[in-house]
Amino acid sequence: QSVLTQPPSASGTPGQRVTISCSGSSSNIGSNYVYWYQHLPGMAPKLLIYRQTLRPSGVPDRFSGSKSGTSASLAISGLRTEDEADYYCAAWDDSLSSVVFGGGTKVTVL
Amino acid sequence: QVQLVESGGGVVQPGRSLRLSCAVSGFTLSSFGMHWVRQAPGKGMEWLAFISYDGKKKLSADSVRGRFTVSRDNRKDTLYLEINSLRPEDTAVYYCAKDRGWMELIDYWGQGTLVTVSS
């Protein structure tokens, strides 16, 4: 069971907006940066969002992140077929002195 | 560009040991902390360990502490993970990953190396 809680799946049609939630606690999301990763099978995971809202260069602005209290969200707008992947949130946990991940959300483009 | 290439995986018998390597390029290894993360078949990501830029600070997950040892050789641009007393539940793809900096998390990952623990 993961320390951060994500829905196991999310879906949408091309062009739609999909939002993925990530719920934690005061010792992780509530007090530290949230990161989001995209993972396609067999590939290296890719950083999508860091410091809960910032995008590395090269990441389309269709991807956006937010944080409120002990929860964070990743939104994908203008959904495209190439967005089909697993998405993970992560944060440092002060109580565990470790990095904690969400269980991952599989996004399907219908 | 930043590249991380893991090696050393394979099929290993329970109880044996294994050392994974991660060769890096495209950045100065001695300036960054590094992580190991694994993903068991059909499961999510599990953080395993962190080592500071100079190797002086090491952190590890409770689930592997005492069996997994992270180390680095900055002169060789290589990160290592020593795994002892392998168990079937250690079967996973093991990733090395670069830390973004102080108080930050992972910004680059390797493609992983598969470790299968089976008799």
Side-chain angles (χ1 to χ4, degrees):
Chain A
Q1 190 167 351
S2 303
V3 173
L4 304 182
T5 301
Q6 297 179 233
S9 63
S11 63
T13 57
Q16 277 192 329
R17 175 184 171 94
V18 169
T19 301
I20 301 168
S21 62
C22 176
S23 177
S25 68
S26 58
S27 64
N28 41 66
I29 292 178
S31 52
N32 293 295
Y33 294 135
V34 177
Y35 278 53
W36 288 92
Y37 303 96
Q38 179 191 59
H39 188 209
L40 287 91
M43 305 283 287
K46 174 186 175 182
L47 175 63
L48 282 182
I49 298 288
Y50 66 102
R51 294 190 181 186
Q52 45 267 4
T53 63
L54 302 180
R55 284 185 310 275
S57 60
V59 173
D61 59 6
R62 302 186 295 103
F63 295 91
S64 61
S66 64
K67 171 179 152 178
S68 178
T70 59
S71 293
S73 293
L74 173 72
I76 310 172
S77 59
L79 196 62
R80 304 175 70 160
T81 55
E82 58 260 39
D83 298 333
E84 276 208 346
D86 295 321
Y87 294 83
Y88 293 90
C89 60
W92 179 258
D93 191 295
D94 293 328
S95 297
L96 298 173
S97 293
S98 68
V99 177
V100 291
F101 285 92
T105 299
K106 183 175 184 60
V107 169
T108 302
V109 182
L110 302 171
Chain B
Q1 74 276 25
V2 172
Q3 285 196 317
L4 301 96
V5 180
E6 302 91 339
S7 61
V11 180
V12 189
Q13 291 181 329
R16 303 295 290 265
S17 296
L18 194 66
R19 187 175 82 160
L20 306 180
S21 300
C22 172
V24 311
S25 60
F27 68 100
T28 303
L29 180 62
S30 59
S31 297
F32 293 94
M34 298 292 292
H35 301 259
W36 284 98
V37 178
R38 71 181 176 184
Q39 183 177 34
K43 303 293 185 180
M45 297 295 183
E46 178 187 15
W47 177 81
L48 299 174
F50 168 83
I51 183 168
S52 63
Y53 69 99
D54 58 1
K56 292 182 178 180
K57 181 176 182 178
K58 299 180 183 181
L59 300 168
S60 60
D62 288 345
S63 59
V64 302
R65 194 169 300 137
R67 284 198 309 125
F68 287 32
T69 302
V70 59
S71 61
R72 63 193 296 158
D73 187 335
N74 288 338
R75 294 169 301 174
K76 294 183 178 180
D77 286 328
T78 303
L79 178 73
Y80 303 100
L81 182 69
E82 185 91 25
I83 309 174
N84 296 316
S85 303
L86 277 155
R87 306 166 180 170
E89 55 264 35
D90 293 322
T91 295
V93 176
Y94 286 74
Y95 298 95
C96 69
K98 173 186 168 292
D99 194 76
R100 191 173 176 272
W102 177 247
M103 298 297 289
E104 304 279 358
L105 294 184
I106 294 166
D107 58 357
Y108 288 95
W109 301 64
Q111 287 199 303
T113 186
L114 176 61
V115 174
T116 302
V117 184
S118 173
S119 54

